[in-house]
């Protein structure tokens, strides 16, 4: 049976086709309009915003860390140098999962937990385009391992960075200090723009005190990078500004001599120019190697330093608080003259002890039989304790305190080194505030000879001695002599005040003459010399208490229970160029401490100009030339000399821990004994 199909409807097919075309064209037009509107949105309405974002993906502004300023001694000997190390860095902009990347890098770069923790702290506060150091001071093995797999770690690069090196190691550790990695606490306080790209900051010493001068100003460079963070080309550069070069007042040769005197001993030596306040030498013994701290000290090395009974990390010269013993008798004697309680003719009869009225307790003199008739001059020469017991009883602790503070006791000296101790000159208010008890008259007697609760730092003793040498002109100790660089800084090198003194100008001369006789015929006669005159005062500070009526028996004491030996002095006596304070822990006698000062006087006054001590290798500093400073542009009287900065012994990698050092102030007794 045949089927019949209807005839084809051409008009209907055309209409359907036309409708489909219109719909298709409408869809195309709609999407074209959508595309155009989006294009207009991106290219017209928000052109600036998205153009910047596009450039940021392609063009990076990378910070350039400034080179740290060099540190020299007064003669141009290089004390703190810069040298390059390889570091692994990570850019946040090029790494999607930072912590996964770090995890995969652990076996390749031998990362420690400390490395990871430090990186985690820094990456949180860094800018997106900043390259943050993951590990400093990479070894050749680290670099070789990473090079093999670098393609797996886009955004991770090996870069060269400058770090610190101290060519003389322990010699200047407590003066210069060291730099170390920026920790969490420092991250919260520093200017992050100023420290962009920088991993190190001054921790102690000059490195910390003058961080703002030494650090410099960072620069930046604009680079074009691919999708993997690899730099394709440089587009522009703003060079960083290097930190200032610092010239210290420290003399390399004198520092060597002072260090040799304390070799194998615990103690401190400070030498000053009494006319300017410049610190010529500052030694704390034992010392430590600051290079260990630069890129992070290992736990083993730090534990060895921290747990060392001799406390090498402790700066005894600035922080150590010791009973000053008889070294303060010249200053105290001038106080008696100032208040009119004694003059140079005032004499007492010394039976070998002193008792307070109505009290049977005897405050002994170091000479059991006494010194007979004693005036001020003789009291200084033979160090008669009884004379000063009597003077303190007349004068009273309040006036003693007011007078001695003018010499800087119980106050910070203002030295340009951190963590300075104030020491203590006790008084009734202090005792009531700290010990909740009243002041006893016997305590005044102890304080008069630098015992009891009275403590002072070696730096304070040096400053007080310099003020005495200056006939009352006050100076502020400082280690910075000159600063050269982009940041202007002026150092004050002159007396900055005068002690209020009601006596006569010749009283200072008479006290100087008494101190000269201490060296010529008195307790310091072991260091007298015909070459020049030394004015000085010895002192002995008691460590272990002695009961009333008992005799000091050195043979029964351990080495650390022996008395401290102290000495202060200046020379030439008539026109002082140098003032020295020596504290020899457990050195037994002040005369022993004086023996340590004599070679320093000899070097400074007799040897320094004709045969100065210099580092083994004599050459113009490489750092000096890098700094763009020519020898002819050095400060006056500076001859550029440096040691060969051998950098083969690289610092170990770890983070320095916080230093916690107990006080070295020895125990005191109400039974002061002065043994010169």
């Amino acid at each position: 049976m045949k089927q019949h199909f209807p005839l084809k409807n051409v008009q209907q097919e055309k209409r359907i086709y036309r409708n489909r075309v219109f719909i298709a064209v409408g869809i195309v037009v709609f999407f074209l309009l959508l595309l155009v509107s989006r294009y207009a949105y991106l290219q017209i309405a928000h052109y600036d915003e998205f153009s910047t974002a596009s450039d940021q993906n392609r063009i990076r502004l990378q910070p350039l860390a400034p080179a740290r300023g060099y540190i020299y001694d007064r003669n141009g000997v290089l004390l703190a140098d810069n040298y390059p190390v390889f570091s692994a860095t990570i850019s946040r902009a090029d790494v999607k999962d930072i912590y996964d990347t770090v995890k995969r890098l652990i076996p390749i770069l031998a990362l420690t937990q400390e490395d990871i923790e430090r990186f985690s702290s820094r990456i949180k506060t860094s800018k997106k385009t900043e390259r943050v150091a993951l590990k400093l001071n990479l070894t050749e093995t680290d670099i070789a391992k990473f090079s093999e797999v670098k393609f797996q770690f886009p955004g991770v690069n090996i870069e060269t960075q400058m770090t610190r090196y101290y060519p003389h190691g322990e010699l200047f550790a407590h003066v210069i200090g060291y730099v170390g990695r920026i920790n969490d606490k420092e991250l919260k306080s520093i200017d992050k723009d100023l420290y962009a790209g920088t991993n190190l900051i001054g921790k102690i010493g000059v490195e910390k005190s003058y961080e703002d001068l030494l650090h410099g100003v960072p620069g930046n460079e604009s680079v074009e990078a691919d999708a993997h963070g690899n730099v394709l080309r440089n587009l522009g550069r703003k060079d960083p500004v290097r930190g200032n070069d610092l010239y210290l007042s420290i003399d390399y040769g004198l520092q060597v001599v002072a260090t040799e005197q304390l070799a194998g001993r615990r103690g401190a030596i400070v030498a000053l120019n009494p006319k300017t306040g410049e610190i010529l030498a500052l030694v704390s013994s034992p010392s430590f190697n600051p290079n260990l701290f630069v890129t992070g000290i290992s736990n083993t090395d730090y534990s060895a330093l921290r747990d060392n009974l001799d406390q090498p990390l402790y700066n005894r010269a600035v922080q150590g608080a010791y009973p000053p013993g008889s070294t303060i008798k010249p200053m105290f004697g001038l106080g008696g003259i100032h208040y009119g309680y004694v003059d140079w003719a005032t004499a007492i009869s010394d039976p070998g002890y002193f008792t307070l009225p109505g009290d049977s307790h005897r405050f002994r003199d170091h000479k059991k039989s006494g010194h007979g008739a004693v005036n001020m001059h003789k009291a200084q020469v033979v160090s008669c304790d009884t004379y000063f017991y009597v003077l303190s009883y007349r004068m009273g602790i309040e006036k003693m305190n007011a007078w001695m503070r003018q010499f800087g006791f119980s106050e910070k000296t203002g030295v340009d080194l951190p963590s300075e101790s104030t020491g203590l000159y006790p008084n009734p208010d202090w005792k009531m505030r700290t010990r909740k008890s009243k002041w006893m008259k016997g305590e005044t007697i102890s304080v008069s000879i630098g015992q009891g609760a009275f403590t002072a730092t070696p730096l304070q003793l040096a400053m007080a001695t310099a003020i005495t040498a200056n006939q009352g002109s006050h100076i502020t100790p400082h280690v910075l002599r000159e600063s050269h660089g982009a940041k202007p800084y002026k150092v004050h090198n002159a007396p900055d005040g005068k002690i209020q003194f009601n006596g006569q100008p010749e009283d200072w001369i008479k006290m100087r003459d008494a101190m000269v006789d201490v060296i010529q015929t008195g307790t310091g006669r072991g260091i007298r010399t015909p070459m020049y005159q030394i004015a000085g005062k010895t002192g002995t500070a008691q460590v272990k208490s002695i009961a009333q009526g008992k005799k000091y028996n050195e043979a029964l004491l351990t080495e650390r229970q022996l008395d401290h030996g102290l000495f202060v002095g200046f020379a030439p006596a008539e026109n002082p160029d140098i003032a020295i304070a020596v504290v020899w822990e457990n050195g037994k006698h002040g005369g022993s401490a004086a023996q340590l000062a004599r070679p320093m006087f000899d070097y400074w006054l007799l040897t320094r100009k004709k045969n100065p001590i210099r580092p083994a290798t004599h050459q113009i500093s490489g750092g000096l030339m890098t700094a763009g400073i020519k020898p002819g542009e050095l400060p006056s009287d500076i001859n550029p000399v440096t040691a060969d900065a051998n950098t083969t012994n690289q610092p170990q990698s770890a983070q320095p821990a916080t230093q916690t050092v107990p006080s070295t102030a020895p125990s005191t007794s109400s039974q002061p004994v002065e043994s010169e």
Side-chain angles (χ1 to χ4, degrees):
M1 182 176 180
K2 294 183 178 180
Q3 290 183 336
H4 297 278
F5 296 95
L7 294 175
K8 188 175 182 180
N9 190 337
V10 177
Q11 294 299 324
Q12 184 180 6
E13 288 181 356
K14 288 182 178 180
R15 187 169 57 255
I16 292 172
Y17 176 76
R18 189 167 52 251
N19 290 340
R20 289 176 178 176
V21 170
F22 287 153
I23 292 172
V25 171
I27 292 173
V28 171
V29 171
F30 172 78
F31 281 106
L32 282 175
L33 290 174
L34 188 64
L35 183 63
V36 170
S37 64
R38 181 62 178 170
Y39 183 80
Y41 175 83
L42 295 175
Q43 296 294 326
I44 300 175
H46 293 272
Y47 172 80
D48 292 337
E49 176 183 347
F50 290 106
S51 176
T52 301
S54 176
D55 286 340
Q56 286 179 345
N57 288 331
R58 181 177 62 89
I59 300 173
R60 307 282 176 82
L61 191 65
Q62 298 178 341
L64 298 175
R68 201 167 179 84
Y70 297 95
I71 302 177
Y72 302 91
D73 88 330
R74 67 189 296 116
N75 301 305
V77 175
L78 184 64
L79 307 181
D81 199 358
N82 297 323
Y83 77 105
V85 295
F86 290 103
S87 303
T89 64
I90 295 180
S91 172
R92 289 178 57 188
D94 301 314
V95 179
K96 294 181 179 179
D97 190 334
I98 290 178
Y99 293 102
D100 177 69
T101 300
V102 171
K103 184 178 180 180
R104 291 188 292 127
L105 284 170
I106 290 176
I108 300 171
L109 298 179
L111 298 177
T112 66
Q113 186 61 33
E114 291 175 327
D115 291 328
I116 297 171
E117 290 175 356
R118 281 193 298 267
F119 173 77
S120 298
S121 298
R122 193 68 190 270
I123 199 72
K124 291 176 183 177
T125 58
S126 64
K127 295 181 178 180
K128 188 174 181 180
T129 58
E130 185 177 348
R131 296 168 296 186
V132 179
L134 175 60
K135 183 177 181 179
L136 299 175
N137 202 20
L138 296 177
T139 65
E140 292 182 1
T141 301
D142 295 333
I143 297 172
K145 284 184 177 181
F146 179 76
S147 298
E148 294 177 355
V149 294
K150 185 182 184 306
F151 67 93
Q152 299 178 13
F153 297 94
V156 181
N157 292 287
I158 303 297
E159 300 180 5
T160 303
Q161 296 183 346
M162 299 301 292
T163 192
R164 214 48 155 172
Y165 177 70
Y166 304 101
H168 307 292
E170 298 184 359
L171 187 60
F172 295 93
H174 288 107
V175 180
I176 298 175
Y178 56 81
V179 296
R181 293 189 182 185
I182 300 172
N183 58 36
D184 291 344
K185 183 178 180 181
E186 291 160 341
L187 272 175
K188 296 177 182 178
S189 60
I190 63 174
D191 183 337
K192 294 179 177 58
D193 290 333
L194 189 62
Y195 282 83
T198 302
N199 299 296
L200 303 176
I201 193 171
K203 298 290 186 177
I204 66 172
V206 169
E207 293 278 26
K208 181 176 182 179
S209 295
Y210 292 104
E211 172 66 23
D212 58 334
L213 292 179
L214 289 166
H215 176 64
V217 180
N220 57 69
E221 63 177 348
S222 179
V223 299
E224 184 177 6
D226 62 17
H228 297 287
N230 298 314
V231 175
L232 301 177
R233 62 190 177 113
N234 293 321
L235 302 178
R237 178 185 176 94
K238 178 183 178 182
D239 290 328
V241 178
R242 194 171 62 82
N244 283 24
D245 292 329
L246 303 186
Y247 294 85
L248 306 186
S249 57
I250 299 290
D251 182 89
Y252 176 88
L254 191 65
Q255 185 83 357
V256 169
V257 174
T259 301
E260 289 174 347
Q261 304 316 302
L262 282 176
R265 304 179 173 99
R266 296 180 303 278
I269 296 178
V270 179
L272 295 174
N273 181 334
K275 298 174 183 176
T276 64
E278 292 182 338
I279 296 178
L280 307 175
L282 188 148
V283 176
S284 176
S285 178
S287 188
F288 63 96
N289 183 1
N291 291 305
L292 294 174
F293 289 87
V294 176
T295 55
I297 187 170
S298 69
N299 288 329
T300 301
D301 288 337
Y302 184 74
S303 296
L305 291 171
R306 180 196 60 203
D307 300 335
N308 189 324
L309 189 60
D310 291 335
Q311 298 294 352
L313 296 177
Y314 192 48
N315 189 344
R316 288 166 162 83
V318 176
Q319 297 172 288
Y322 304 87
S326 293
T327 59
I328 51 86
K329 287 178 179 176
M331 303 88 182
F332 180 41
L334 288 165
I337 294 173
H338 167 74
Y339 287 111
Y341 289 105
V342 293
D343 57 28
W344 290 95
T346 303
I348 66 161
S349 178
D350 173 25
Y353 62 88
F354 170 78
T355 58
L356 290 166
D359 192 339
S360 61
H361 181 91
R362 291 187 174 185
F363 294 91
R364 298 187 300 263
D365 190 278
H366 69 89
K367 185 177 181 181
K368 188 175 180 179
S369 60
H371 295 90
V374 181
N375 60 15
M376 175 68 80
H377 185 94
K378 183 178 179 181
Q380 300 291 345
V381 175
V382 301
S383 198
C384 175
D385 295 335
T386 307
Y387 188 93
F388 297 97
Y389 295 157
V390 173
L391 176 57
S392 67
Y393 175 71
R394 296 175 181 175
M395 194 167 168
I397 190 63
E398 296 290 6
K399 289 183 178 179
M400 291 166 59
N401 186 286
W403 171 254
M404 296 298 282
R405 280 178 178 268
Q406 292 194 81
F407 286 85
F409 294 111
S410 207
E411 306 280 353
K412 289 186 177 182
T413 65
V415 67
D416 48 350
L417 292 173
S419 305
E420 181 185 7
S421 172
T422 61
L424 175 66
Y425 199 95
N427 58 35
D429 290 340
W430 162 83
K431 188 177 181 185
M432 181 59 68
R433 184 177 65 255
T434 60
R435 301 185 180 178
K436 309 302 181 185
S437 59
K438 293 183 178 180
W439 184 263
M440 306 299 290
K441 291 183 178 180
E443 294 177 277
T444 302
I445 307 303
S446 298
V447 170
S448 70
I449 61 164
Q451 293 277 183
F454 184 7
T455 61
T457 67
L459 180 61
Q460 286 176 323
L461 291 175
M463 185 178 79
T465 305
I467 293 172
T468 304
N470 290 342
Q471 300 180 24
S473 293
H474 184 279
I475 53 93
T476 298
H478 56 277
V479 295
L480 181 59
R481 194 178 191 212
E482 295 186 41
S483 172
H484 292 261
K487 293 185 178 180
Y489 189 89
K490 186 176 181 181
V491 179
H492 183 75
N493 274 331
D496 49 19
K498 189 82 172 178
I499 283 183
Q500 295 181 358
F501 182 59
N502 293 331
Q504 300 300 317
E506 55 265 28
D507 289 322
W508 295 97
I509 305 298
K510 291 180 179 179
M511 186 59 72
R512 180 200 70 191
D513 293 342
M515 295 176 70
V516 169
D517 283 347
V518 168
I519 305 301
Q520 294 298 317
T521 61
T523 57
R525 57 188 176 275
I527 65 167
R528 61 189 172 191
T529 171
M531 303 297 292
Y532 54 88
Q533 280 196 333
I534 301 172
K537 187 72 189 75
T538 58
T540 303
Q542 184 180 321
V543 174
K544 183 175 175 58
S545 61
I546 302 172
Q548 179 73 30
K550 297 293 183 179
K551 184 178 180 181
Y552 180 82
N553 190 341
E554 185 177 296
L556 298 178
L557 301 177
T558 65
E559 190 268 340
R560 292 180 185 273
Q561 292 177 327
L562 297 174
D563 292 345
H564 295 329
L566 300 96
F567 172 80
V568 299
F570 53 88
E574 64 280 3
N575 185 23
D577 282 334
I578 184 172
I580 297 176
V582 178
V583 176
W584 179 2
E585 290 184 17
N586 312 116
K588 302 181 183 179
H589 310 291
S592 301
Q595 296 287 343
L596 306 186
R598 170 66 188 278
M600 296 182 64
F601 283 126
D602 286 347
Y603 176 77
W604 191 254
L605 299 175
L606 304 177
T607 309
R608 172 176 56 99
K609 293 182 179 180
K610 296 180 180 179
N611 188 24
I613 297 174
R614 292 289 184 264
T617 302
H618 290 210
Q619 61 183 34
I620 298 296
S621 163
L624 196 67
M625 303 310 291
T626 303
I629 299 176
K630 300 176 182 178
E633 298 172 339
L634 287 171
S636 59
D637 81 347
I638 289 184
N639 297 315
V641 183
T642 183
D644 183 15
N646 181 5
T647 60
T648 57
N649 296 322
Q650 299 298 326
Q652 300 187 34
S653 179
Q655 175 70 6
T658 303
Q659 298 181 21
T660 54
V661 184
S663 171
T664 59
S667 59
T668 56
S669 166
S670 61
Q671 296 293 322
V673 177
E674 187 63 27
S675 175
E676 304 300 333

